[in-house]
Amino acid sequence: MTHADASHSDDAHVCCGPGYASPEAAMQADRETVLYTVALYVGTETEAPDYLATIDVDPDSPTYAEVIHRTPMPTLGDELHHFGWNACSSCYDDESQSRRFLIVPGFRSGRIHVIDTEDARAPTLHKVISPSEIKQRTNLSAPHTVHCLADGTVMISMLGDAEGHAPGGFLLLDENFDVAGRWEADADGMPYNYDFWYQPRHNVMVSSEFAAPKTYLPGFDLDDVAEGRYGQRLNFWDWEERRLVDSVDLGEDGLVPLEVRFHHDPDSTHGFVGAALSSNIWHWEGTNGSRSVEKVIDQKAVERSGWPFPVPPLTTDIVISMDDRFLYLSNWLHGDIRQYDISDPSAPRLAGQVTCGGVLGESVTVQGHELVGGPQMLQLSLDGKRLYVTSSLLSSWDNQFYPDMADQGSYMLQIDCDTDRGGLAINEDFYVDFGEEPAGPARAHEMRYPGGDCTSDIWV
């Protein structure tokens, strides 16, 4: 069976095909009732496979804010990380497509899982692609960002070659989730790889840079930064020709650019990227051949006793609201989430801020639980009212900076967003305790909704 054969109950609100006609239409969708996140045991004492957790996010449900289903992977040690859909609004109005399958890579193992969400509350494993097949056919490893393409194929950024060296490249899966080869014609000029976002209307793809798997997997080492083993470039590609046309060096103010977000409006050429280590937000505007790139949010490191260097905020995730008005960022070490009004993309205005843990000594409790770790992955509801957050970054980095997380598990919170006047507040009725999972404390990472979300849907 191919995914094109299937229909999905959660797509009932659209006329045909997956997704929505426009960002404005997406904002009018039904409220999310379940949410998926990956949960992992890598880096803990628990000998159990990572799993996909289904969370009840319906406030009228008796199991609200609980894990209601677990879909375990078949093998230990995957380090499930980022994941995405087989189809999104890029395929809107194509009745042969359906948003039914989640593509869930193992960041550490290189194994790629295909999860069937025909039963949205109890997904099942559909297929596994072995890392040896991927290495043999493409010389790639370390799968990261997953985006579906408008032609029904799936594209995944890969951070390493078969031996774990940079720069990696981009893997393509066909409609049957078989390895179809590499997307890029060549990767010359790209030192490292990480996240990406494409916009065919402007014939562009933007990718960012982290590091080689051999560098980041063992843990963070400041010497690696000094020796240039982390990226600091923003790479712009010709989408049609699949070649790199511009590579912008962001310098020390742009160390480790991670998540890439375009405006949702497909006519817009504005986009943003968060530089994790420098903890600055960069904005770009324009098309290939005529583009500006500028730093628009500058956050400072702070001195803290016991640290060998000033502690950076460490901005690890950003997300843009579907109406392109607000940008949210998470500072994993400082422990705060910020809401910026980006109505003027070149001059973001701080509109809200909330603290959810961190290392600066501000103890925060929710339902009696002291928050272990800092805010990390973000996912925003389609209407922009609810921001979900998890606290795990990468198992080896978690164990360095938040060692208690291995014994206590991570958290999932929901932040209420004031989209009229601006402002953020923790929803005290919502706390998912991954420290109480049946097999032992687990760590939660990226999140997705069955009906699409603010980091998976692209309009072409």
Side-chain angles (χ1 to χ4, degrees):
M1 180 179 67
T2 71
H3 71 271
D5 299 320
S7 61
H8 195 300
S9 59
D10 279 296
D11 286 336
H13 55 280
V14 300
C15 63
C16 57
Y20 309 92
S22 66
E24 293 79 10
M27 292 186 69
Q28 303 304 314
D30 295 338
R31 173 177 173 148
E32 69 282 359
T33 57
V34 298
L35 175 154
Y36 303 122
T37 187
V38 290
L40 53 145
Y41 285 113
V42 174
T44 73
E45 300 294 326
T46 301
E47 289 289 316
D50 299 348
Y51 58 97
L52 182 77
T54 307
I55 313 296
D56 187 336
V57 294
D58 179 359
D60 296 325
S61 168
T63 55
Y64 178 56
E66 294 181 12
V67 179
I68 58 173
H69 185 78
R70 299 166 185 86
T71 309
M73 301 302 109
T75 309
L76 297 176
D78 281 310
E79 181 118 22
L80 302 183
H81 197 67
H82 285 219
F83 61 112
W85 288 102
N86 67 299
C88 73
S89 293
S90 65
C91 308
Y92 177 76
D93 219 17
D94 180 352
E95 60 184 0
S96 70
Q97 304 292 330
S98 173
R99 191 201 311 260
R100 171 171 165 177
F101 294 94
L102 283 169
I103 315 303
V104 187
F107 197 33
R108 192 173 293 268
S109 69
R111 193 174 293 106
I112 295 176
H113 312 84
V114 181
I115 307 294
D116 187 349
T117 69
E118 183 176 28
D119 183 343
R121 298 175 71 87
T124 56
L125 182 65
H126 173 73
K127 180 175 182 175
V128 178
I129 305 169
S130 74
S132 59
E133 179 185 0
I134 295 169
K135 291 177 180 179
Q136 181 180 27
R137 296 192 56 186
T138 66
N139 189 34
L140 292 172
S141 67
H144 190 268
T145 300
V146 177
H147 276 304
C148 64
L149 306 185
D151 62 1
T153 59
V154 174
M155 183 164 153
I156 305 173
S157 60
M158 308 289 285
L159 275 55
D161 65 13
E163 303 301 321
H165 301 291
F170 298 91
L171 175 71
L172 283 176
L173 303 180
D174 66 19
E175 289 197 356
N176 294 314
F177 310 119
D178 291 326
V179 174
R182 297 177 67 144
W183 172 82
E184 74 279 16
D186 64 63
D188 290 347
M190 182 182 75
Y192 302 102
N193 199 12
Y194 186 69
D195 194 31
F196 73 101
W197 194 290
Y198 66 90
Q199 184 43 264
R201 193 170 295 193
H202 303 293
N203 189 32
V204 66
M205 181 184 83
V206 186
S207 64
S208 57
E209 297 189 341
F210 185 33
K214 283 185 174 295
T215 299
Y216 65 77
L217 281 178
F220 178 75
D221 186 338
L222 201 57
D223 290 340
D224 288 331
V225 179
E227 294 173 12
R229 298 195 181 110
Y230 281 91
Q232 58 186 45
R233 290 175 177 270
L234 203 52
N235 298 309
F236 296 91
W237 299 74
D238 184 303
W239 180 246
E240 293 181 356
E241 296 187 5
R242 304 184 180 190
R243 62 182 180 85
L244 187 63
V245 294
D246 193 11
S247 182
V248 178
D249 189 336
L250 304 178
E252 292 187 356
D253 281 352
L255 277 171
V256 194
L258 294 182
E259 310 307 331
V260 172
R261 312 297 185 207
F262 253 110
H263 266 177
H264 298 286
D265 175 1
D267 284 330
S268 172
T269 60
H270 291 276
F272 297 85
V273 64
L277 196 55
S278 302
S279 304
N280 299 320
I281 303 298
W282 291 76
H283 161 246
W284 74 82
E285 195 276 330
T287 56
N288 289 335
S290 177
R291 179 181 293 112
S292 63
V293 180
E294 59 180 347
K295 183 179 66 176
V296 292
I297 298 175
D298 191 339
Q299 301 186 103
K300 303 300 183 187
V302 299
E303 298 285 350
R304 180 161 172 76
S305 175
W307 283 70
F309 52 87
V311 181
L314 205 73
T315 308
T316 49
D317 197 13
I318 65 172
V319 60
I320 295 175
S321 61
M322 198 57 78
D323 60 2
D324 294 329
R325 180 184 172 196
F326 290 108
L327 179 147
Y328 297 85
L329 64 83
S330 60
N331 289 323
W332 193 59
L333 290 182
H334 283 196
D336 62 319
I337 298 173
R338 296 186 176 199
Q339 176 195 46
Y340 282 88
D341 187 325
I342 54 170
S343 300
D344 179 352
S346 295
R349 178 181 62 82
L350 183 63
Q353 188 172 4
V354 67
T355 299
C356 307
V359 300
L360 298 185
E362 296 183 38
S363 177
V364 178
T365 60
V366 179
Q367 297 183 7
H369 302 275
E370 183 171 352
L371 300 184
V372 175
Q376 212 282 107
M377 292 308 297
L378 304 174
Q379 189 52 264
L380 187 63
S381 61
L382 291 170
D383 64 4
K385 303 289 188 183
R386 295 165 301 284
L387 182 70
Y388 296 89
V389 54
T390 56
S391 54
S392 173
L393 176 58
L394 184 68
S395 62
S396 50
W397 292 42
D398 290 345
N399 289 344
Q400 279 182 275
F401 294 100
Y402 294 108
D404 290 343
M405 195 186 298
D407 296 325
Q408 299 184 30
S410 67
Y411 64 70
M412 178 187 290
L413 302 178
Q414 187 246 295
I415 311 297
D416 290 327
C417 307
D418 187 331
T419 56
D420 294 323
R421 296 173 297 179
L424 301 173
I426 295 174
N427 177 356
E428 297 288 343
D429 294 328
F430 188 97
Y431 180 83
V432 182
D433 186 0
F434 282 91
E436 296 296 328
E437 285 293 275
R443 314 165 196 257
H445 196 72
E446 194 174 41
M447 297 158 282
R448 298 279 178 212
Y449 312 128
D453 51 61
C454 290
T455 59
S456 64
D457 279 51
I458 295 176
W459 283 267
V460 298

